[in-house]
Structure formats: structure tokens, C-alpha cells
Amino acid sequence: MNYFSRFLALPQRSVYLFGRDKSVWSLVGGNWLSKFIYFRETDKMADNLRKKVYVVGVGMTKFLKPGSTGEDYPELAKEAVTKALEDAKISYDLIQQACVGYVYGDSTCGQRALYEVGMSGIPIINVNNNCSTGSTALYIGKELVEGGLCDCVLALGFEKMAKGSLTSKFDDRTNPMDKHVLVLSNRHGFAAAPVAAQFFGSAGREHMEKYGTKPEHFAKIAYKNHKHSTKNPYSQFRDEYSLEQIKNSPVVYEPLTKLQCCPTSDGAAAAILASENFVRAHKLENQAVEILGMEMTTDVPSAFSENSSIKMIGFDMTKNAANKLFQKTGLKPTDVDVVELHDCFSTNELITYEALGLCDVGKGGELVDSGNNTYGGKYVINPSGGLISKGHPLGATGIAQCSELCWQLRNEAGPRQVPNAKLALQHNIGLGGAVVVSLYRLGFAGNQATSGSELKLPEEMKRLKSSKFFTKATSMLSYAEGIIDKRIKGSVKLRVADDNSDFVGMGCLKFENGKIDISFDPNAKADCIITLNDGVLLDILDKKSTFEKAFFSGKLQVKGNVGFLARFMSVKNALLAKL
């Protein structure tokens, strides 16, 4: 029955099977079955048979200026895949299929790249979909797992690019951008500037003409993304610029200046997708990120029929993909916490805000001015630095976005961690055209290490005068994880006795592999137990005392492994300094 159900979940295969074998068709009753297959083709029924898909491992290289290191694409790919396998804690021989994306390269570069990792004979599918190539590889891998054809698939993207702006490589055939160029020419004319910058710059001009958006709005987006990139070790550029520096950098095509345009890059990224059975069999629940939904769309007639550069660069296909995604998942754009979107140019980021539903059409400038696109606002958009600063190796970009969002949801993004990141949105677009829009969240929240931003203080502990210690400390776990020695392994429990009752509040910290789990379970076991009164802890928080003074004066008792306690004192001191 399961085998038959798989065919019904893939209607084109079912029709092909019964169309060829008329004896089988007659045996099962052709007319009845044709109606049944048609019924199964509806999205609602097919969705019920789709399996859940999880990202269980990610890895990427640092993005680099083309040709700056001498590394070729097989070496870049090997580094990314090796990191993803190590992250997933599995070996390459468990990969059943691979989907490999690149734009610039000869046929079967995917095979040549993966042969550096292993030659297991698996199917390797090479993908080229312009700037959305990486997420297209992800999409195909997701379909393979979701349809029950594979339990573990590798999605890999890489690029070894030429220096300078993108150019066409074939002049003896129809260019897939010919209709885009016609819209551009009709809208703002054709100039002596990089074609991609003209496409997206023209869309920015149109937005200014229609909605009163200012060049400064686009510059502010570049300012934000360059600032975000300073905390990303994988970013090609890690320099912070003032708004004036961005506005006054050389003009590429108005309103775009050089610092508002993404660079060409060399680099690679990889992601391992798995079924729920695979996740459980390999005990990967703690890190599995579920792909809640992933939609791919292509252009509709409005891209070329409305003489609109905004429509020409893919506004409607992004809008259509986002609408389908949110409708199918039952979620809303306002539910999203963190976003990685395709900011090939600052103008496209602002226009994409509106296409994704993060704000109303025409209100992108207001979203920028409100600060709701960065830390402290409603959304954190492109915490990685985006394409503008992180870089844009075409085949790798979509999978690098996925990697960043997985790290954010797993609370592993270090100094760029988005507080309380629970729902992540990805957008990757390629002119020509294709767009992939995806939603991610932790797949097994009950098994996930609890971050401070996700943790709620038990109501009874709020009676303690020192409860602010637990409230503030839990919100700073991401910072603590960024400085802790990953070799530290063990747990410590803090028992705080209320001065005015018999109540004792308890918090337990568990350290392992650089991660910190926290709980308020009074029955949790610990290697070391610290006991002190509420007033004593309050004095420590108010800088009137220290843990050391309280210990030597007998106001603080330590039981258990004192040696372990000493090992994480540096973390304690760093946290106290910020409380």
C-alpha cells in the first residue's frame, strides 16, 4: 500500500504507468482510477502524503574575491560538504542523492566536485537557475525527501567566478534576458553600466517615482548589511561604513552606488536534508531544522506586459511564491523573526520587503526608517550581511542563506544571534526567472537545547528579589556560548533561598560542546550545587559583594565538583560584567 500511495502522490508517474500498460489500467478499472488520480492531484490531498523534511547539517566556506586564493571549485566544494557532514555527524556513504548547483562551469562539474569527497556511485543532479541556483538545488533535494524517494540528500552549491560585473557568455543564441532588456529600455533607457545594476537600479527609480522613496532609504539598507557583516566570519567584506560613505561611494547606476551592489565571489555551501525516520535513527533531533514550506515560482505575464521594472525584476513571482507559502503553512509574514533575502542590490531588498508581505506595497521606505529591519526591530533582515557584504557566488548563495538561518534557529550564530529566533524566512531570486521562498523552524523543539531567549522564568521564582539574575542571565546565553571553552562539560545548580519563606528557587546550567542548556527543574541533577540566600545574591548583582566574598564569609556554600565550578568562572565573570 505504501508503494502504491507513493505513485498516487506523484500523479505524473501514475498516469505514465497506467498509460503505458493498458492491461493494468483495465484491471483496476480505468474510468474510476482516472477520477481517483485526478482527485489525488489536488494540492490538499497530495500534501497529506508529503513527508517532513529537515536540514540536519550545514557548512560553507568563507566567500572570497574571485581568484584571491587560488582555490578551485573542487576544493571549495569539499570544504563545504565536509563541514556539513561533520555538522550532521554522518559519513558521506549515507547520502543517497546529491543536487549540485553552479552557474559558471562545464557540464558535470557537480560530479567532479563531489568526487573529492567520495565516489559512492549515487545520482548527482547538476542545477543551473541563475542566481537562485543554490535554493533550486535545495528545492529538488527537498522534493526527493518529501516524496519518499530518499531519506538523505545533499544539496551543494558553489561558484568560481570571473572578476568584475556579470556578463553573458554566449552571443550566438537568444539571450534569456532579452525581454528584460526591452522593459528596461522602454522604462529608463539603456546606459553604459552593468546590465544587472541597470535592471535593479531602474526598479529602484520606479519605486521612487511611484511612492516617494528616497535614495537614502536604499543607502540605509546597505549601511545595515555592511554593519551586520562585521560579525560574520564567512563574509567577503567585514568593513563597517558610515551612511555618508555609502551615499558618496562611486555611482554605478542611479540610485545605486558601489557599496549598494553585491560583489562577485568564489565560495561554496552545503546542506544535508533528511526524513524524520533518518533524523530519529541518527539521533539528530537536537539540531534538525524543519523546512515548513518551500515554494518555487517563475515569471508571469506581468513581468513584461506592464512596462514596469519592478515587475520585470520578479516582484510578482516573489509575491506569488510568498502567498502560496504562507497560505499552505497557515503562517503570516508578521510571525517571522529572521530573514535572509536576495539583496543583490539595495533596491531589491526594499522592493522584496513588499513582495514578501513584510510591509504594504509602497511602504518599504517606512520600514527602513522604523528600524524594523535590524536588531531591536520587528525583523532582523540579512543578519549575515546579505549578498551586498557577505558576497554572491551564484550557485552557493541560496544554500548559504539556508545555513545562516539554521544557525540562527539553533542559537549558534554567535555575536550575530537574533534573540528569540523561532521562525525563519528565506528568499532567493534569479532573473530569467525563478524564485524560491522558504520557511524554517526547529523540528523538535522539545529536544532542542533551550536558549535564554526562549526560556520563561517560572512564576514562583518571581517572588525572589534576585529574580532579575535569572531573567537577565538567561537572555545572555547566546553571548555566553560565544566565549565559553567548548571543552567544558558538566552542570551546576544554583539554589536561592527566599529570606522571608521556606521557598527555594533553583536553576540548573548544563555545559557541553560549547552549548549551554538551562532548566528550572528542581529535580535536575548537577555536578556542582551552589546554595545562597536571596539577599546575598541581590548584593552580588548590585555590586555590593562578589561570589568569592560570599563564599569565604560562609554566606555561599558549594557542594560537589568544585574543580568543575572553577573552570567556568570566566564565563560567570563575563556575564556579571554585563548584568
Side-chain angles (χ1 to χ4, degrees), residues 400-578:
Q401 290 178 325
C402 171
S403 298
E404 175 67 22
L405 295 177
C406 286
W407 289 324
Q408 291 288 348
L409 293 171
R410 287 160 49 173
N411 198 36
E412 296 175 358
R416 66 186 184 281
Q417 179 64 49
V418 175
N420 205 27
K422 294 180 180 178
L423 185 65
L425 175 66
Q426 178 189 359
H427 164 267
N428 185 205
I429 195 168
L431 292 185
V435 65
V436 180
V437 182
S438 313
L439 280 171
Y440 303 86
R441 73 176 176 197
L442 286 176
F444 302 85
N447 296 85
Q448 185 68 21
T450 307
S451 70
S453 58
E454 299 169 334
L455 196 66
K456 291 185 178 180
L457 191 68
E459 201 64 34
E460 63 268 23
M461 290 192 68
K462 294 180 181 179
R463 71 173 73 179
L464 297 174
K465 292 177 290 185
S466 61
S467 62
K468 67 178 182 179
F469 169 85
F470 297 96
T471 303
K472 290 185 177 181
T474 53
S475 68
M476 293 170 61
L477 282 190
S478 176
Y479 170 79
E481 288 175 343
I483 62 174
I484 191 173
D485 185 342
K486 292 186 177 181
R487 294 171 296 180
I488 295 177
K489 182 177 181 180
S491 55
V492 59
K493 180 186 289 187
L494 187 65
R495 301 177 75 255
V496 182
D498 185 11
D499 293 324
N500 302 312
S501 70
D502 295 329
F503 174 75
V504 177
M506 300 186 196
C508 188
L509 296 169
K510 181 180 178 181
F511 301 78
E512 188 172 5
N513 297 325
K515 300 294 295 179
I516 305 175
D517 296 358
I518 187 167
S519 76
F520 294 110
D521 181 3
N523 298 315
K525 295 182 180 180
D527 298 304
C528 180
I529 300 174
I530 300 173
T531 303
L532 71 171
N533 284 350
D534 189 20
V536 175
L537 181 55
L538 186 63
D539 284 343
I540 294 172
L541 295 179
D542 291 337
K543 306 294 191 297
K544 296 178 182 178
S545 183
T546 65
F547 277 96
E548 290 79 3
K549 287 181 181 178
F551 175 77
F552 288 112
S553 64
K555 297 179 180 178
L556 181 152
Q557 291 79 44
V558 178
K559 182 180 179 181
N561 189 343
V562 180
F564 165 75
L565 183 63
R567 294 195 66 194
F568 80 110
M569 276 295 144
S570 59
V571 177
K572 180 268 297 180
N573 292 334
L575 287 173
L576 284 177
K578 288 184 172 286

Side-chain angles (χ1 to χ4, degrees), residues 85-102:
L85 290 169
E86 290 175 349
D87 186 35
K89 306 175 186 67
I90 64 171
S91 57
Y92 183 69
D93 59 3
L94 292 176
I95 303 294
Q96 297 169 320
Q97 287 200 41
C99 304
V100 185
Y102 60 94

Side-chain angles (χ1 to χ4, degrees), residues 301-320:
S302 59
F304 308 121
S305 65
E306 297 185 11
N307 193 34
S308 166
S309 291
I310 290 176
K311 297 297 182 74
M312 175 264 288
I313 64 167
F315 181 92
D316 281 346
M317 66 175 172
T318 290
K319 186 173 185 294
N320 291 342

Side-chain angles (χ1 to χ4, degrees), residues 311-371:
K311 297 297 182 74
M312 175 264 288
I313 64 167
F315 181 92
D316 281 346
M317 66 175 172
T318 290
K319 186 173 185 294
N320 291 342
N323 287 345
K324 288 181 181 178
L325 180 66
F326 287 115
Q327 182 179 9
K328 286 184 179 181
T329 59
L331 296 165
K332 307 182 297 298
T334 52
D335 295 326
V336 171
D337 302 303
V338 58
V339 184
E340 282 283 311
L341 62 77
H342 199 93
D343 63 317
C344 48
F345 300 90
S346 60
T347 49
N348 195 50
E349 176 163 329
L350 185 145
I351 290 167
T352 301
Y353 294 166
E354 301 172 8
L356 292 173
L358 302 177
C359 66
D360 292 336
V361 173
K363 302 297 184 181
E366 292 182 15
L367 179 61
V368 172
D369 286 337
S370 71

